[in-house]
Amino acid sequence: MSAISREEVANLARLARIEMSDAELDHLSGEMQVILGAVARVQEVASADVPPTSHPIPVNNVVREDVVIPSLSPTDALSGAPASSEQRFKVPQILGEA
Amino acid sequence: MSLNYDQAIEKYEPTLGLEVHVELNTKSKMFCGCATEFGAEPNTQTCPVCLGLPGALPVVNKTAIESSILIGLALNCSIAPFSRFARKNYFYPDMPKNFQTSQYDEPICINGFLDVEIESDEGNKVFRIEIERVHMEEDTGKSLHVGGSTGRIHGAEYSLLDYNRAGIPLVEIVTKIVPNTGKYAPQVARAYVAALRDILRGLKVSDVKMEQGSLRCDVNLSLAPSGSGELGTRSETKNVNSLRSVETAVSGEIVRQANRLQSGEKIVQETRHFLEESGETRPGRSKEKAEDYRYFPEPDLVPVVPDNKWIDELRKTLPEKPADRRKRLQSEWSVPEKEMTAMVNAELLDTVEETVKLGADPTKARSWWLGEISRIANERDVVATELISVTAVAQIINLINQGELTDKLARQVVDGVIAGEGTPAEVISKRGLKVVSDDGALMKAIEDAIAAQPDTAERVRGGNIPAAGALIGAVMKATGGQADAAKVRELLLKHLGQ
Amino acid sequence: MSIRNSAAEMAEALAKKEISAVELANQHYAQIEAVDKDVHAFLHLDKAGALAQAESIDKKRAAGEKLSPLAGVPLALKDVLVQKGVPTTCGSKMLEGWRPPYDATVVAKLKDAGIVILGKTNMDEFAMGSSTENSAYGPTHNPWDLTRIPGGSGGGSAAALAAFEAPLAIGTDTGGSIRQPAAVTATVGVKPTYGGVSRYGLVAFSSSLDQAGPCARTVLDTAMLHQSIAGFDPKDSTSINHAVPDVVAAAKKKDVKGLKIGIVKQLSGAGYQKGVENKFNDAVAELVKLGAEIVEVSCPNFEYALAAYYLIAPSECSSNLARFDSMRFGIRIGDDGSKGAEEVMNLTRQVGFGREVKRRIILGTYALSSGYYDAYYGSAQKVRTLIKRDFDAAFEKCDVLVSPTAPTTAFKIGEKSEDPLAMYLNDIATIPVNLAGVGGMSLPCGLADEDNLPVGFQIMSPAMKDDRMYLVGGALEAALLSKWGKPILDFAPRLAGSK
């Protein structure tokens, strides 16, 4: 069982874009420790010869024809936006670059 | 003292890698039925799926898969018998789901190649560019940064997002590393992107307009000391958006990296941005920690498992390879290499071919499209084929060949058609453009010309045939250009006993 | 006609014009008014929309139009399915005030069938939980004992049925969220075969496990609702393009003679409450009396199901919930003009998500991260294969498998909320079904001797053989009804003010 440090949890929170207080990080790293200990059991039977299953019911090649269907009206598209301007979603300044 | 390109390339051996993103020209998006028109009003081509609204689910566009397979086949790839989409998880506001649906370790096409030809000191030289993979993914939305002083990201007060582009199908074509290009690295990179563009255009799977971003190139480049056989640390220059820029980005990076290495500095593995104005690159914002994209198979989509029947059907629709086609047309039309290149560069090869198919003479078709029509198109900053139809041009050329129009009259017909006066026949009739073919009227003009230039006429009578040009010119002038010059020449020479 | 009738009886009364859809909806709103302050099954009532729909059904019926069997019957919709223009919160603060601009396919089908949607029901936030205590809007109370949980995540839908606030409800089931609430409230709930009901418009928790399904107070009602919402949907790539089995006919057949029923050895014993096991065994005895053949089967890998589930579901949820970033919809926290988008996202997600959701996002982020993927997520996907193989082998030997639905009866509100692992154990018997994508039903099989609280009986069918659950469920329900002399919900204490 691998130990998970508070720093690791902080990094996970950063990846997951969730601000966390020190108290939250402390609490969560303790819980993660316990949960990971329990779920690590999967490794006992997951041998190399077992293929992974990602879809419970195997289906292939589900596609749609390349046909345009009406979009939402811009009003509907923007209806849930916390802020909008010039028919666009208005968001706080984007600092990073992808 | 800093190294110039020649010095840099003498000391260091470049290794290239190219990643090209192509926007497919499907009617609808990759995973939803929204339209893909370029330049539509903001957020008019969005729906719950491409806005990433809670509950929405993707369904793959069949044409996008078929286009990707066609690209793979045209690039001599193997088509994977089993391929899947994965989620690439990272947060960015222009990406509605905060993951990109992309192919990761199970791409649709793998292991292909493309041969490209460049002019070297020793004549034309062919480089084989090996293709590692062709995979499908989706484009992001566009952000507009408002406020601040520069209009760039830094200093903006807020950003405005338009998701019309979000979810447009993209195909990424990734090369294996391209070694041993030596000093030709910039030309090889350019030739590869150009050849790829021609192939994609021939497949009709993309508009391949670099200026509109429908074909974007990332250039990976590393240097190692010449002869060392090592592989250096690479930089990745993003969004190089013209053929010329591909060439400058490569040569610029070679010089930049060589100078760093020369002064004992290390090359940082980083993303750099190409500056279109200066041809230089600048570093992107460095991240404190490397992103961990946490790829996993997209559970909302099922695997793509193309069977041989499907692949064979697609293979049958593959057009002739651009290089083969160019050679064939060049020999069929007997045009010089230079003119072929001019047609290709002007993106008019298809147009000329269609015009020829409608019965027009290849030389005339080429010269009308690349000459007069392109000139007007350039003046008006439009595409030649938007001005006048292939059919109209073919009709005009056929009329010239039948002696119904002179070149001069034909130019007026072209003007008329472009001005919206109707078909060539309608313009001819409305403007009263008719070749003077009545022998009587021509003979009168010929006699007048001889009377006006008796000395010239004498020289022609004496066997100086080229001198007839001056007389023909006078006749043409007198008939207002509406005479058939060949006919005038024939009658004139006969009249003067030649 | 009373609100205690079954949906099928209500449908019949509507068809005979003994009652109008508007009257029926109003009777249910009156009951909601009377009891929901104590039960808290609903998050939002769409009275105007529901009554308008009921009125249009009445008009159509008066005009002699042909209507669907359940036209005019009211329904409670779990708040995880989007309904155009009606607030959809998923039990989360994150979506407070959000009105979706589109209908889920299930909602569109309900509307087409003329089923009247009364309102949206409470749930654990984003369907993560087994008690409905994780709702940002406060817990739902079990009508059998208001100090106890109604199960989860679909506690609101199950409680609405048990409190006669609606005769039909829609739930969603990722690890047991339809079946476990049904078990602890003595109602019926079915998780159809994965892909049997469209997921389009179901706000995703774990895409490869989530499945919407029907909930009601009788097996026949559940079947009728199943028939109304199931079927291929071109908007959901994982939807099965296959005819829906005739579940209504199966529910009516009540004949299990010669049917082979497998008891899963691993779904009993340690961790299972004595009274739960007793009632389960009594029900099995009833099935034997009806002529079914009992086979004991072993599914050794079920032991790893819980662990696999608590890796797969959090992994998928960490990605599915990434879109809740305050940019396009939902709440936004901290946008004071000085902060960048990333910081605002971080603050919004800190405030907008509850503890359990954050716990699972962090767990999933870990399980997918480079260096840990193979050990956790990858291994869990392999366990999934093993569990599927266990099911395949078991279904070679028998037509259906059975087990208790939940290891215990309803526990007290607050009892397990500080112990995530203890909470996760509630789903131990329901999770294998989700991992394998097969069908699962829970129906009441009695009250546990030690606490007089309902016990659920789980029936599992092979994929796309959902009719078998209804066949067995219908027969068992009829046998138990004649044994008890009245519907099990008649044993529940009457709620204050109940009509």
Side-chain angles (χ1 to χ4, degrees):
Chain A
M1 194 183 91
S2 58
I4 180 158
S5 67
R6 192 175 168 286
E7 285 62 43
E8 268 184 281
V9 176
N11 186 45
L12 295 170
R14 184 190 64 83
L15 278 173
R17 293 280 188 279
I18 303 175
E19 187 69 36
M20 280 194 189
S21 66
D22 289 349
E24 272 182 290
L25 288 173
D26 284 337
H27 189 70
L28 197 55
S29 44
E31 285 181 337
M32 284 283 289
Q33 194 69 40
V34 176
I35 296 170
L36 282 172
V39 296
R41 291 196 63 200
V42 291
Q43 293 154 17
E44 292 170 18
V45 283
S47 53
D49 58 331
V50 180
T53 293
S54 39
H55 282 91
I57 309 292
V59 191
N60 294 327
N61 296 336
V62 177
V63 295
R64 40 170 272 274
E65 295 299 322
D66 182 24
V67 174
V68 174
I69 58 164
S71 295
L72 289 175
S73 71
T75 317
D76 275 351
L78 291 154
S79 63
S84 66
S85 172
E86 299 169 43
Q87 208 169 296
R88 292 173 172 91
F89 293 84
K90 186 177 175 183
V91 304
Q93 50 186 317
I94 300 170
L95 294 171
E97 286 170 57
Chain B
M1 207 194 95
S2 68
L3 301 174
N4 64 23
Y5 183 78
D6 291 337
Q7 294 162 330
I9 214 72
E10 206 168 293
K11 293 197 162 214
Y12 299 100
E13 171 67 34
T15 298
L16 274 173
L18 296 149
E19 292 171 19
V20 171
H21 284 91
V22 184
E23 253 182 21
L24 298 180
N25 59 1
T26 51
K27 295 185 198 77
S28 64
K29 291 187 178 179
M30 187 80 205
F31 301 117
C32 65
C34 285
T36 56
E37 298 292 327
F38 182 79
E41 288 296 305
N43 295 306
T44 52
Q45 295 175 172
T46 63
C47 74
V49 178
C50 58
L51 284 175
L53 294 188
L57 295 172
V59 185
V60 179
N61 184 331
K62 186 182 179 191
T63 303
I65 294 181
E66 295 189 331
S67 297
S68 308
I69 294 176
L70 283 171
I71 293 170
L73 291 173
L75 295 175
N76 310 293
C77 292
S78 313
I79 308 304
F82 180 97
S83 94
R84 260 198 299 199
F85 286 93
R87 291 186 182 179
K88 180 180 183 181
N89 293 289
Y90 66 99
F91 285 79
Y92 206 71
D94 64 8
M95 201 170 53
K97 298 167 291 183
N98 285 323
F99 60 78
Q100 184 188 34
T101 308
S102 174
Q103 294 196 297
Y104 176 51
D105 52 353
E106 295 162 304
I108 182 124
C109 316
I110 48 168
N111 295 336
F113 65 86
L114 177 59
D115 288 336
V116 301
E117 201 171 314
I118 60 150
E119 286 174 37
S120 77
D121 297 344
E122 307 88 40
N124 284 6
K125 196 169 169 178
V126 173
F127 285 87
R128 172 156 292 190
I129 312 293
E130 297 204 63
I131 310 289
E132 182 172 302
R133 56 190 277 142
V134 174
H135 77 247
M136 299 179 270
E137 57 185 40
E138 56 178 335
D139 213 342
T140 58
K142 273 185 179 165
S143 44
L144 190 72
H145 306 289
V146 183
S149 49
T150 58
R152 286 223 319 266
I153 290 179
H154 302 285
E157 279 167 16
Y158 58 91
S159 301
L160 294 175
L161 295 165
D162 168 14
Y163 292 105
N164 281 348
R165 198 181 66 181
I168 287 188
L170 286 182
V171 163
E172 185 173 342
I173 301 159
V174 183
T175 67
K176 292 184 181 166
I177 57 166
V178 186
N180 305 325
T181 54
K183 67 175 177 179
Y184 300 116
Q187 289 99 303
V188 170
R190 179 188 177 134
Y192 166 73
V193 178
L196 193 55
R197 192 189 58 175
D198 289 348
I199 284 178
L200 297 167
R201 188 181 288 130
L203 292 172
K204 298 189 166 63
V205 295
S206 168
D207 301 337
V208 287
K209 288 180 180 156
M210 292 188 88
E211 69 283 3
Q212 286 184 3
S214 56
L215 190 151
R216 320 197 270 269
C217 182
D218 299 346
V219 176
N220 293 333
L221 191 111
S222 67
L223 293 185
S226 293
S228 69
E230 288 164 13
L231 204 58
T233 306
R234 67 184 169 90
S235 69
E236 181 178 6
T237 305
K238 288 262 186 203
N239 291 329
V240 187
N241 288 341
S242 73
L243 291 179
R244 194 180 52 85
S245 302
V246 170
E247 204 169 337
T248 5
V250 173
S251 57
E253 262 307 281
I254 290 174
V255 173
R256 186 190 69 86
Q257 290 191 15
N259 279 296
R260 275 190 80 92
L261 292 170
Q262 185 68 9
S263 56
E265 287 171 283
K266 283 215 161 86
I267 302 300
V268 191
Q269 181 157 354
E270 64 179 353
T271 299
R272 300 181 66 83
H273 295 273
F274 184 73
L275 305 172
E276 203 70 48
E277 314 84 53
S278 63
E280 288 168 350
T281 63
R282 69 168 168 79
R285 221 173 115 91
S286 69
K287 296 183 174 107
E288 306 146 38
K289 282 187 180 161
E291 267 296 346
D292 180 345
Y293 293 122
R294 291 158 283 134
Y295 284 99
F296 72 104
E298 166 60 282
D300 287 331
L301 292 170
V302 301
V304 179
V305 183
D307 57 14
N308 287 336
K309 188 167 158 268
W310 193 11
I311 297 170
D312 287 343
E313 271 166 25
L314 289 168
R315 199 189 303 274
K316 276 183 212 145
T317 70
L318 275 183
E320 196 179 0
K321 290 202 164 116
D324 296 349
R325 172 168 172 244
R326 197 186 296 188
K327 283 198 185 98
R328 176 177 58 78
L329 290 177
Q330 191 179 349
S331 102
E332 279 175 18
W333 298 347
S334 335
V335 281
E337 174 77 34
K338 209 171 147 188
E339 290 190 4
M340 270 324 274
T341 309
M343 272 184 273
V344 172
N345 288 348
E347 300 182 11
L348 284 168
L349 190 60
D350 288 349
T351 309
V352 172
E353 192 187 12
E354 283 169 43
T355 314
V356 171
K357 275 187 191 154
L358 292 175
D361 156 68
T363 313
K364 282 209 173 70
R366 183 198 65 75
S367 73
W368 276 96
W369 280 111
L370 264 74
E372 183 70 5
I373 302 170
S374 288
R375 186 184 60 75
I376 302 171
N378 287 342
E379 269 173 23
R380 302 189 187 177
D381 200 20
V382 291
V383 174
T385 43
E386 283 170 14
L387 283 177
I388 186 166
S389 72
V390 166
T391 318
V393 173
Q395 282 169 356
I396 292 167
I397 293 171
N398 288 336
L399 287 172
I400 297 170
N401 286 349
Q402 288 156 23
E404 301 281 327
L405 288 177
T406 60
D407 280 3
K408 189 170 171 189
L409 285 177
R411 261 195 283 281
Q412 292 188 49
V413 179
V414 166
D415 280 345
V417 173
I418 291 174
E421 291 168 27
T423 63
E426 286 163 354
V427 174
I428 289 167
S429 123
K430 278 183 204 158
R431 292 195 177 188
L433 305 172
K434 193 115 181 72
V435 170
V436 180
S437 54
D438 171 9
D439 286 5
L442 283 181
M443 279 317 293
K444 170 79 174 60
I446 287 169
E447 276 160 14
D448 288 351
I450 291 169
Q453 302 182 57
D455 296 351
T456 313
E458 229 14 73
R459 289 216 300 281
V460 177
R461 277 199 190 93
N464 185 351
I465 306 292
L471 294 169
I472 296 168
V475 174
M476 294 305 291
K477 195 174 173 191
T479 56
Q482 299 200 358
D484 176 353
K487 179 94 178 168
V488 171
R489 180 184 157 88
E490 185 194 321
L491 288 172
L492 178 86
L493 292 179
K494 200 172 160 194
H495 191 70
L496 294 177
Q498 291 297 328
Chain C
M1 175 68 1
S2 131
I3 52 169
R4 297 179 78 91
N5 282 96
S6 71
E9 289 160 349
M10 291 178 193
E12 206 184 322
L14 284 162
K16 290 183 183 157
K17 298 184 189 157
E18 292 166 6
I19 189 168
S20 72
V22 169
E23 285 167 327
L24 193 58
N26 277 326
Q27 284 185 10
H28 283 94
Y29 279 125
Q31 174 72 352
I32 293 168
E33 181 112 335
V35 303
D36 210 52
K37 56 185 189 305
D38 295 326
V39 177
H40 190 43
F42 284 90
L43 290 176
H44 178 82
L45 295 174
D46 179 31
K47 216 167 169 173
L51 291 175
Q53 205 198 349
E55 203 182 325
S56 110
I57 293 294
D58 287 337
K59 275 191 188 145
K60 284 183 187 167
R61 199 183 305 277
E65 271 186 51
K66 182 155 170 40
L67 296 170
S68 304
L70 289 172
V73 179
L75 172 140
L77 182 66
K78 189 176 180 184
D79 203 26
V80 72
L81 286 142
V82 302
Q83 185 181 355
K84 190 174 178 177
V86 175
T88 300
T89 66
C90 301
S92 180
K93 196 169 175 178
M94 188 59 97
L95 281 177
E96 199 164 18
W98 183 58
R99 289 172 189 261
Y102 76 109
D103 274 336
T105 297
V106 165
V107 171
K109 283 187 175 248
L110 292 171
K111 287 181 176 175
D112 285 348
I115 295 169
V116 177
I117 305 171
L118 298 173
K120 310 292 292 284
T121 55
N122 200 11
M123 55 186 283
D124 284 302
E125 184 178 7
F126 289 107
M128 299 176 203
S130 312
S131 67
T132 317
E133 291 167 290
N134 295 334
S135 167
Y137 304 97
T140 295
H141 302 262
N142 192 327
W144 285 81
D145 175 349
L146 295 171
T147 66
R148 291 179 187 270
I149 59 103
S153 65
S157 283
L161 294 170
F164 299 97
E165 295 172 281
L168 298 172
I170 295 291
T172 63
D173 191 314
T174 306
S177 288
I178 286 176
R179 290 161 289 156
Q180 182 257 6
V184 300
T185 56
T187 56
V188 183
V190 165
K191 184 212 91 82
T193 295
Y194 181 84
V197 175
S198 170
R199 289 188 297 117
Y200 189 76
L202 188 180
V203 180
F205 157 22
S206 179
S207 311
S208 74
L209 302 165
D210 293 345
Q211 184 60 207
C215 308
R217 290 188 292 260
T218 72
V219 172
L220 178 61
D221 289 359
T222 311
M224 288 172 77
L225 184 56
H226 188 133
Q227 203 84 277
S228 309
I229 59 169
F232 175 66
D233 179 12
K235 289 182 189 153
D236 174 359
S237 306
T238 60
S239 157
I240 299 172
N241 199 348
H242 192 279
V244 182
D246 193 343
V247 292
V248 173
K252 288 177 175 167
K253 200 171 169 197
K254 300 186 173 68
D255 176 10
V256 292
K257 258 189 219 83
L259 216 65
K260 284 186 184 152
I261 296 178
I263 296 178
V264 185
K265 200 174 100 188
Q266 282 75 12
L267 300 181
S268 64
Y272 287 80
Q273 190 180 317
K274 194 79 199 124
V276 167
E277 292 208 304
N278 288 343
K279 290 299 151 190
F280 170 74
N281 292 332
D282 290 353
V284 170
E286 290 296 323
L287 288 169
V288 172
K289 272 194 234 163
L290 293 172
E293 190 186 322
I294 303 299
V295 187
E296 186 172 294
V297 295
S298 179
C299 295
N301 294 294
F302 280 21
E303 230 185 285
Y304 300 94
L306 194 67
Y309 176 85
Y310 278 97
L311 285 166
I312 293 166
S315 295
E316 292 183 3
C317 106
S318 71
S319 173
N320 282 330
L321 267 57
R323 67 187 63 190
F324 298 93
D325 65 355
S326 83
M327 299 291 118
R328 290 159 299 279
F329 53 82
I331 62 162
R332 183 182 286 177
I333 303 291
D335 184 14
D336 57 8
S338 77
K339 296 185 183 72
E342 185 175 332
E343 199 178 347
V344 170
M345 280 184 194
N346 290 342
L347 290 169
T348 303
R349 289 164 68 81
Q350 176 180 36
V351 174
F353 289 142
R355 273 169 54 196
E356 182 62 24
V357 171
K358 287 186 210 173
R359 188 150 50 218
R360 296 204 196 181
I361 290 175
I362 295 298
L363 179 58
T365 304
Y366 180 79
L368 288 176
S369 59
S370 70
Y372 298 106
Y373 180 96
D374 289 338
Y376 290 101
Y377 185 76
S379 297
Q381 298 285 55
K382 289 180 170 193
V383 168
R384 207 168 176 175
T385 306
L386 297 173
I387 286 168
K388 261 180 86 89
R389 287 178 185 168
D390 279 359
F391 268 115
D392 289 345
F395 284 131
E396 296 251 314
K397 290 186 221 147
C398 39
D399 300 298
V400 295
L401 299 176
V402 296
S403 77
T405 309
T408 68
T409 56
F411 48 89
K412 293 268 188 190
I413 290 172
E415 191 182 321
K416 297 185 182 177
S417 47
E418 289 306 315
D419 185 352
L421 277 187
M423 187 66 96
Y424 297 168
L425 284 169
N426 283 298
D427 302 328
I428 195 143
T430 45
I431 277 172
V433 161
N434 300 82
L435 290 172
V438 300
M441 169 189 276
S442 178
L443 77 159
C445 65
L447 303 176
D449 298 329
E450 55 272 60
D451 53 19
N452 246 5
L453 288 167
V455 176
F457 185 87
Q458 179 173 232
I459 306 166
M460 297 165 266
S461 76
M464 288 169 278
K465 307 281 185 205
D466 300 37
D467 49 335
R468 290 190 196 168
M469 300 185 278
Y470 288 96
L471 181 64
V472 177
L476 178 60
E477 180 187 55
L480 292 172
L481 185 62
S482 71
K483 187 175 161 187
W484 301 328
K486 57 178 182 179
I488 192 162
L489 281 169
D490 286 0
F491 294 93
R494 212 156 170 96
L495 292 165
S498 182
K499 307 282 164 187

